[in-house]
Amino acid sequence: MPAYSMLYPANTKTRTAISLDGMWKFAIDWNEEGESSGWASGIPGSDTIPVPASFQDFYTDKDTREFTGDVWYEDDITIPGWMEGQDVFLRFSAATHRATVYINGEKAGEHEGGFLPFLVDITDKARYGEENRITVKVNNELTETNIPCGRTIRLRNGRKMSKPYFDFYNYSGLQRSVHLLSIPPRSIEDIDLRYEISGNDASVLYSVRTKGDGDIRLTLIDADGDTAAEAEGKDGTMIVRDAHLWQVRNAYLYTLRITLSEDGKLLDTYEMPIGIRTVRIEGEDILINGSPVYLKGFGKHEDSDIVGRGFSIGVMKRDFELMKWIGANSFRTSHYPYDEEIYRMADREGFLIIDEVPAVGLFESLVNFLDAGTGKGASSFFAKETTPLLLKAHINAVDEMIARDKNHPSVIAWSLLNEPESKDEHSVPYFTKVFNAARRLDPEKRPCTFAMEVSSGPDTCRCYHLCDFIELNRYYGWYIKGGYEISDAEDAFREEMERWKERKLDKPFIFTEYGGDTLSSEHKLPSVMWSQEYQDEVLEMQHRIFDSYGFVKGEQIWNFADFQTTEGLMRVNGNKKGVFTRQRQPKDAAFLLKKRWESLPLDYKG
Ligand code: GCB
């Protein structure tokens, strides 16, 4: 459990969340002098930059874009006098990959891990009714002791450079919102929820955690504003008669109001949207509210022009509209937990989310995701002296992710690693500890899994027994036997699937990646690799395989949209496996998928 409350920053009768988004002062620490030169009290220069955004794509010089090290942000804010006596925090929705936060030159907190929120307590350091200087040092270096994994090298000219072990650009900075929070000293800190459905009624089992004592009261309010259920006490059950269930692409949200009071005096109140639904795996089925579902959708990225990985509310809206248009019902937050707004939108729109922790690049290889696919990776990523540190960071991220996301009805599963080394014996204890942590931390005990690349096969992977369902990332027809060899690719794919079938795992399989790169500018008849025609051919072949196996219960194509990666021979200014371009316009494959997904029933193969 994180040391602070992970509740979404909501405004209520008793709490205030003030957005600090906007232009912040910004400086790059080229000479690694920020600490010694006192930048914590005032950063040099006069440059300003938007928050939230990645810093990389605003500037016109390559040294800035590729900068690896510390960047500094500064904002002078007035903390209202009336906040005195409250608990006052700075809330960073994310700082990639690690941050140190100062107020008026004094260190107030730090955090490691670039994709989850953290609070910095400034109650005793803030000057109330006056201006306060907030300074944040953000470091974007990649290591093998934090996730996602990578290295930082130094060029002969002295510049540092990021070498990610993963296939997305190392965007960084203050990429999500920052808030100033004022919360009563005795407050609601967290709530765990579980659901049981019986006939037309539902039980909402809850447990509230508070700071300080008081009387807890819960009210469940339906979409018409009427009270649907009530309860008292820190732990208990609310019975909801004729409950409206949260269904796939047909969401119903209640508002849950929690109050903490003493002798009738209100101390704190918090409100959140919740959806009543259950998630269960039974044999080869994924059941939502007891009914089988087939997942159709995408592996995505938070990635767009100019703001990079910075949260963009407009891009989010467009992405959901495109997902609805194409007939999708789900996505995986590859390869890190996304901005909280995206989960709230999925809650409203009835999308299913496989929530992924940033554990990517856990494979011993220079360009892991590629060498892994060709079986070139050496083993023993998990037998290093530094492995205990990596495991600690990994479990910490799992803890923060589950604490943040557990109450979203859209979240149906936890993906605990992407394409790790899993053939080596040292993987087993490492994975076991991560899976055990997730299972202990999730009050709803949602399914846990990890995404397996092709060298993690039915005869080689030592860890799939830990998974409640199997996530396969497969590129037959692209990395394996692409182009005119596609018929051999189909045979090889089928052979692998037959071997999985022989294992009789009695678990659902989801393809969490498949597809092939395509340039939106290329057409060719007959097709060649990279042309739009070839993307369609690859998908048709891969879909034929999915349709041949009853235990395949979902397909999430790689990727929703073209996205930025590190430059290199394998990438044409980014990964082009998008069904949509980076500007969110359709490639031909989008129409093929729309036709298919609109015709597949929700309970396909159920
Ligand atoms: C993978 C990785 C993903 C890459 C993708 C690709 O297996 O999980 O991050 O972008 O392959 O396109 O090669």
mmCIF file with all atom_site columns, all heavy atoms in Angstrom, residues 464-476:
data_model
loop_
_atom_site.group_PDB
_atom_site.id
_atom_site.type_symbol
_atom_site.label_atom_id
_atom_site.label_alt_id
_atom_site.label_comp_id
_atom_site.label_asym_id
_atom_site.label_entity_id
_atom_site.label_seq_id
_atom_site.pdbx_PDB_ins_code
_atom_site.Cartn_x
_atom_site.Cartn_y
_atom_site.Cartn_z
_atom_site.occupancy
_atom_site.B_iso_or_equiv
_atom_site.pdbx_formal_charge
_atom_site.auth_seq_id
_atom_site.auth_comp_id
_atom_site.auth_asym_id
_atom_site.auth_atom_id
_atom_site.pdbx_PDB_model_num
ATOM 1   N N   . TYR A 1 464 ? 4.151  -19.651 -17.515 1.00 0.00 ? 464 TYR A N   1
ATOM 2   C CA  . TYR A 1 464 ? 2.748  -19.394 -17.877 1.00 0.00 ? 464 TYR A CA  1
ATOM 3   C C   . TYR A 1 464 ? 1.756  -20.044 -16.920 1.00 0.00 ? 464 TYR A C   1
ATOM 4   O O   . TYR A 1 464 ? 0.591  -19.661 -16.882 1.00 0.00 ? 464 TYR A O   1
ATOM 5   C CB  . TYR A 1 464 ? 2.455  -19.739 -19.343 1.00 0.00 ? 464 TYR A CB  1
ATOM 6   C CG  . TYR A 1 464 ? 2.657  -21.173 -19.763 1.00 0.00 ? 464 TYR A CG  1
ATOM 7   C CD1 . TYR A 1 464 ? 1.757  -22.154 -19.397 1.00 0.00 ? 464 TYR A CD1 1
ATOM 8   C CD2 . TYR A 1 464 ? 3.734  -21.524 -20.578 1.00 0.00 ? 464 TYR A CD2 1
ATOM 9   C CE1 . TYR A 1 464 ? 1.935  -23.467 -19.792 1.00 0.00 ? 464 TYR A CE1 1
ATOM 10  C CE2 . TYR A 1 464 ? 3.918  -22.836 -20.985 1.00 0.00 ? 464 TYR A CE2 1
ATOM 11  C CZ  . TYR A 1 464 ? 3.019  -23.809 -20.588 1.00 0.00 ? 464 TYR A CZ  1
ATOM 12  O OH  . TYR A 1 464 ? 3.191  -25.091 -20.976 1.00 0.00 ? 464 TYR A OH  1
ATOM 13  N N   . HIS A 1 465 ? 2.246  -20.989 -16.117 1.00 0.00 ? 465 HIS A N   1
ATOM 14  C CA  . HIS A 1 465 ? 1.339  -21.579 -15.123 1.00 0.00 ? 465 HIS A CA  1
ATOM 15  C C   . HIS A 1 465 ? 0.821  -20.517 -14.142 1.00 0.00 ? 465 HIS A C   1
ATOM 16  O O   . HIS A 1 465 ? -0.207 -20.698 -13.504 1.00 0.00 ? 465 HIS A O   1
ATOM 17  C CB  . HIS A 1 465 ? 2.049  -22.702 -14.352 1.00 0.00 ? 465 HIS A CB  1
ATOM 18  C CG  . HIS A 1 465 ? 3.219  -22.214 -13.539 1.00 0.00 ? 465 HIS A CG  1
ATOM 19  N ND1 . HIS A 1 465 ? 4.451  -21.969 -14.086 1.00 0.00 ? 465 HIS A ND1 1
ATOM 20  C CD2 . HIS A 1 465 ? 3.315  -21.897 -12.232 1.00 0.00 ? 465 HIS A CD2 1
ATOM 21  C CE1 . HIS A 1 465 ? 5.272  -21.527 -13.140 1.00 0.00 ? 465 HIS A CE1 1
ATOM 22  N NE2 . HIS A 1 465 ? 4.603  -21.470 -12.000 1.00 0.00 ? 465 HIS A NE2 1
ATOM 23  N N   . LEU A 1 466 ? 1.546  -19.394 -14.016 1.00 0.00 ? 466 LEU A N   1
ATOM 24  C CA  . LEU A 1 466 ? 1.117  -18.344 -13.090 1.00 0.00 ? 466 LEU A CA  1
ATOM 25  C C   . LEU A 1 466 ? -0.057 -17.534 -13.628 1.00 0.00 ? 466 LEU A C   1
ATOM 26  O O   . LEU A 1 466 ? -0.746 -16.848 -12.867 1.00 0.00 ? 466 LEU A O   1
ATOM 27  C CB  . LEU A 1 466 ? 2.289  -17.384 -12.822 1.00 0.00 ? 466 LEU A CB  1
ATOM 28  C CG  . LEU A 1 466 ? 3.488  -17.970 -12.078 1.00 0.00 ? 466 LEU A CG  1
ATOM 29  C CD1 . LEU A 1 466 ? 4.692  -17.041 -12.205 1.00 0.00 ? 466 LEU A CD1 1
ATOM 30  C CD2 . LEU A 1 466 ? 3.150  -18.195 -10.608 1.00 0.00 ? 466 LEU A CD2 1
ATOM 31  N N   . CYS A 1 467 ? -0.272 -17.602 -14.939 1.00 0.00 ? 467 CYS A N   1
ATOM 32  C CA  . CYS A 1 467 ? -1.258 -16.717 -15.585 1.00 0.00 ? 467 CYS A CA  1
ATOM 33  C C   . CYS A 1 467 ? -2.673 -17.273 -15.477 1.00 0.00 ? 467 CYS A C   1
ATOM 34  O O   . CYS A 1 467 ? -2.896 -18.461 -15.692 1.00 0.00 ? 467 CYS A O   1
ATOM 35  C CB  . CYS A 1 467 ? -0.928 -16.567 -17.064 1.00 0.00 ? 467 CYS A CB  1
ATOM 36  S SG  . CYS A 1 467 ? 0.662  -15.805 -17.358 1.00 0.00 ? 467 CYS A SG  1
ATOM 37  N N   . ASP A 1 468 ? -3.626 -16.374 -15.232 1.00 0.00 ? 468 ASP A N   1
ATOM 38  C CA  . ASP A 1 468 ? -5.034 -16.776 -15.242 1.00 0.00 ? 468 ASP A CA  1
ATOM 39  C C   . ASP A 1 468 ? -5.561 -16.866 -16.667 1.00 0.00 ? 468 ASP A C   1
ATOM 40  O O   . ASP A 1 468 ? -6.500 -17.594 -16.937 1.00 0.00 ? 468 ASP A O   1
ATOM 41  C CB  . ASP A 1 468 ? -5.867 -15.777 -14.440 1.00 0.00 ? 468 ASP A CB  1
ATOM 42  C CG  . ASP A 1 468 ? -5.455 -15.782 -12.971 1.00 0.00 ? 468 ASP A CG  1
ATOM 43  O OD1 . ASP A 1 468 ? -5.451 -16.871 -12.385 1.00 0.00 ? 468 ASP A OD1 1
ATOM 44  O OD2 . ASP A 1 468 ? -5.120 -14.715 -12.435 1.00 0.00 ? 468 ASP A OD2 1
ATOM 45  N N   . PHE A 1 469 ? -5.000 -16.056 -17.549 1.00 0.00 ? 469 PHE A N   1
ATOM 46  C CA  . PHE A 1 469 ? -5.216 -16.251 -18.988 1.00 0.00 ? 469 PHE A CA  1
ATOM 47  C C   . PHE A 1 469 ? -3.893 -15.946 -19.673 1.00 0.00 ? 469 PHE A C   1
ATOM 48  O O   . PHE A 1 469 ? -3.012 -15.310 -19.088 1.00 0.00 ? 469 PHE A O   1
ATOM 49  C CB  . PHE A 1 469 ? -6.377 -15.408 -19.530 1.00 0.00 ? 469 PHE A CB  1
ATOM 50  C CG  . PHE A 1 469 ? -6.180 -13.914 -19.474 1.00 0.00 ? 469 PHE A CG  1
ATOM 51  C CD1 . PHE A 1 469 ? -5.653 -13.221 -20.547 1.00 0.00 ? 469 PHE A CD1 1
ATOM 52  C CD2 . PHE A 1 469 ? -6.553 -13.200 -18.338 1.00 0.00 ? 469 PHE A CD2 1
ATOM 53  C CE1 . PHE A 1 469 ? -5.474 -11.846 -20.491 1.00 0.00 ? 469 PHE A CE1 1
ATOM 54  C CE2 . PHE A 1 469 ? -6.381 -11.820 -18.275 1.00 0.00 ? 469 PHE A CE2 1
ATOM 55  C CZ  . PHE A 1 469 ? -5.838 -11.143 -19.357 1.00 0.00 ? 469 PHE A CZ  1
ATOM 56  N N   . ILE A 1 470 ? -3.742 -16.433 -20.898 1.00 0.00 ? 470 ILE A N   1
ATOM 57  C CA  . ILE A 1 470 ? -2.452 -16.320 -21.587 1.00 0.00 ? 470 ILE A CA  1
ATOM 58  C C   . ILE A 1 470 ? -2.515 -15.151 -22.563 1.00 0.00 ? 470 ILE A C   1
ATOM 59  O O   . ILE A 1 470 ? -3.439 -15.048 -23.368 1.00 0.00 ? 470 ILE A O   1
ATOM 60  C CB  . ILE A 1 470 ? -2.139 -17.622 -22.364 1.00 0.00 ? 470 ILE A CB  1
ATOM 61  C CG1 . ILE A 1 470 ? -2.238 -18.854 -21.453 1.00 0.00 ? 470 ILE A CG1 1
ATOM 62  C CG2 . ILE A 1 470 ? -0.786 -17.526 -23.063 1.00 0.00 ? 470 ILE A CG2 1
ATOM 63  C CD1 . ILE A 1 470 ? -1.138 -19.037 -20.453 1.00 0.00 ? 470 ILE A CD1 1
ATOM 64  N N   . GLU A 1 471 ? -1.504 -14.272 -22.483 1.00 0.00 ? 471 GLU A N   1
ATOM 65  C CA  . GLU A 1 471 ? -1.389 -13.173 -23.447 1.00 0.00 ? 471 GLU A CA  1
ATOM 66  C C   . GLU A 1 471 ? -0.261 -13.513 -24.420 1.00 0.00 ? 471 GLU A C   1
ATOM 67  O O   . GLU A 1 471 ? 0.887  -13.653 -23.994 1.00 0.00 ? 471 GLU A O   1
ATOM 68  C CB  . GLU A 1 471 ? -0.987 -11.868 -22.746 1.00 0.00 ? 471 GLU A CB  1
ATOM 69  C CG  . GLU A 1 471 ? -2.038 -11.237 -21.868 1.00 0.00 ? 471 GLU A CG  1
ATOM 70  C CD  . GLU A 1 471 ? -1.567 -9.881  -21.308 1.00 0.00 ? 471 GLU A CD  1
ATOM 71  O OE1 . GLU A 1 471 ? -0.366 -9.693  -21.030 1.00 0.00 ? 471 GLU A OE1 1
ATOM 72  O OE2 . GLU A 1 471 ? -2.407 -9.007  -21.130 1.00 0.00 ? 471 GLU A OE2 1
ATOM 73  N N   . LEU A 1 472 ? -0.587 -13.638 -25.702 1.00 0.00 ? 472 LEU A N   1
ATOM 74  C CA  . LEU A 1 472 ? 0.444  -13.919 -26.700 1.00 0.00 ? 472 LEU A CA  1
ATOM 75  C C   . LEU A 1 472 ? 0.669  -12.709 -27.598 1.00 0.00 ? 472 LEU A C   1
ATOM 76  O O   . LEU A 1 472 ? -0.289 -12.126 -28.113 1.00 0.00 ? 472 LEU A O   1
ATOM 77  C CB  . LEU A 1 472 ? 0.032  -15.109 -27.582 1.00 0.00 ? 472 LEU A CB  1
ATOM 78  C CG  . LEU A 1 472 ? -0.114 -16.488 -26.926 1.00 0.00 ? 472 LEU A CG  1
ATOM 79  C CD1 . LEU A 1 472 ? -0.441 -17.535 -27.994 1.00 0.00 ? 472 LEU A CD1 1
ATOM 80  C CD2 . LEU A 1 472 ? 1.143  -16.888 -26.159 1.00 0.00 ? 472 LEU A CD2 1
ATOM 81  N N   . ASN A 1 473 ? 1.942  -12.348 -27.789 1.00 0.00 ? 473 ASN A N   1
ATOM 82  C CA  . ASN A 1 473 ? 2.329  -11.335 -28.773 1.00 0.00 ? 473 ASN A CA  1
ATOM 83  C C   . ASN A 1 473 ? 2.999  -12.096 -29.916 1.00 0.00 ? 473 ASN A C   1
ATOM 84  O O   . ASN A 1 473 ? 4.068  -12.681 -29.731 1.00 0.00 ? 473 ASN A O   1
ATOM 85  C CB  . ASN A 1 473 ? 3.335  -10.348 -28.176 1.00 0.00 ? 473 ASN A CB  1
ATOM 86  C CG  . ASN A 1 473 ? 2.753  -9.532  -27.025 1.00 0.00 ? 473 ASN A CG  1
ATOM 87  O OD1 . ASN A 1 473 ? 1.563  -9.619  -26.728 1.00 0.00 ? 473 ASN A OD1 1
ATOM 88  N ND2 . ASN A 1 473 ? 3.586  -8.741  -26.381 1.00 0.00 ? 473 ASN A ND2 1
ATOM 89  N N   . ARG A 1 474 ? 2.371  -12.125 -31.090 1.00 0.00 ? 474 ARG A N   1
ATOM 90  C CA  . ARG A 1 474 ? 2.896  -12.958 -32.187 1.00 0.00 ? 474 ARG A CA  1
ATOM 91  C C   . ARG A 1 474 ? 2.893  -12.195 -33.512 1.00 0.00 ? 474 ARG A C   1
ATOM 92  O O   . ARG A 1 474 ? 1.903  -11.556 -33.854 1.00 0.00 ? 474 ARG A O   1
ATOM 93  C CB  . ARG A 1 474 ? 2.044  -14.230 -32.350 1.00 0.00 ? 474 ARG A CB  1
ATOM 94  C CG  . ARG A 1 474 ? 2.165  -15.223 -31.187 1.00 0.00 ? 474 ARG A CG  1
ATOM 95  C CD  . ARG A 1 474 ? 3.578  -15.811 -31.092 1.00 0.00 ? 474 ARG A CD  1
ATOM 96  N NE  . ARG A 1 474 ? 3.716  -16.807 -30.036 1.00 0.00 ? 474 ARG A NE  1
ATOM 97  C CZ  . ARG A 1 474 ? 4.043  -16.522 -28.759 1.00 0.00 ? 474 ARG A CZ  1
ATOM 98  N NH1 . ARG A 1 474 ? 4.244  -15.285 -28.371 1.00 0.00 ? 474 ARG A NH1 1
ATOM 99  N NH2 . ARG A 1 474 ? 4.161  -17.498 -27.864 1.00 0.00 ? 474 ARG A NH2 1
ATOM 100 N N   . TYR A 1 475 ? 3.998  -12.337 -34.248 1.00 0.00 ? 475 TYR A N   1
ATOM 101 C CA  . TYR A 1 475 ? 4.152  -11.605 -35.511 1.00 0.00 ? 475 TYR A CA  1
ATOM 102 C C   . TYR A 1 475 ? 4.468  -12.532 -36.676 1.00 0.00 ? 475 TYR A C   1
ATOM 103 O O   . TYR A 1 475 ? 5.323  -12.216 -37.510 1.00 0.00 ? 475 TYR A O   1
ATOM 104 C CB  . TYR A 1 475 ? 5.222  -10.524 -35.349 1.00 0.00 ? 475 TYR A CB  1
ATOM 105 C CG  . TYR A 1 475 ? 4.766  -9.401  -34.446 1.00 0.00 ? 475 TYR A CG  1
ATOM 106 C CD1 . TYR A 1 475 ? 5.139  -9.357  -33.103 1.00 0.00 ? 475 TYR A CD1 1
ATOM 107 C CD2 . TYR A 1 475 ? 3.925  -8.406  -34.924 1.00 0.00 ? 475 TYR A CD2 1
ATOM 108 C CE1 . TYR A 1 475 ? 4.695  -8.341  -32.270 1.00 0.00 ? 475 TYR A CE1 1
ATOM 109 C CE2 . TYR A 1 475 ? 3.469  -7.385  -34.107 1.00 0.00 ? 475 TYR A CE2 1
ATOM 110 C CZ  . TYR A 1 475 ? 3.858  -7.358  -32.769 1.00 0.00 ? 475 TYR A CZ  1
ATOM 111 O OH  . TYR A 1 475 ? 3.409  -6.349  -31.956 1.00 0.00 ? 475 TYR A OH  1
ATOM 112 N N   . TYR A 1 476 ? 3.809  -13.688 -36.719 1.00 0.00 ? 476 TYR A N   1
ATOM 113 C CA  . TYR A 1 476 ? 3.960  -14.549 -37.889 1.00 0.00 ? 476 TYR A CA  1
ATOM 114 C C   . TYR A 1 476 ? 3.502  -13.767 -39.116 1.00 0.00 ? 476 TYR A C   1
ATOM 115 O O   . TYR A 1 476 ? 2.440  -13.139 -39.106 1.00 0.00 ? 476 TYR A O   1
ATOM 116 C CB  . TYR A 1 476 ? 3.118  -15.818 -37.735 1.00 0.00 ? 476 TYR A CB  1
ATOM 117 C CG  . TYR A 1 476 ? 3.654  -16.771 -36.677 1.00 0.00 ? 476 TYR A CG  1
ATOM 118 C CD1 . TYR A 1 476 ? 3.128  -16.763 -35.382 1.00 0.00 ? 476 TYR A CD1 1
ATOM 119 C CD2 . TYR A 1 476 ? 4.678  -17.655 -36.982 1.00 0.00 ? 476 TYR A CD2 1
ATOM 120 C CE1 . TYR A 1 476 ? 3.612  -17.624 -34.421 1.00 0.00 ? 476 TYR A CE1 1
ATOM 121 C CE2 . TYR A 1 476 ? 5.179  -18.523 -36.017 1.00 0.00 ? 476 TYR A CE2 1
ATOM 122 C CZ  . TYR A 1 476 ? 4.635  -18.500 -34.738 1.00 0.00 ? 476 TYR A CZ  1
ATOM 123 O OH  . TYR A 1 476 ? 5.123  -19.357 -33.784 1.00 0.00 ? 476 TYR A OH  1
#
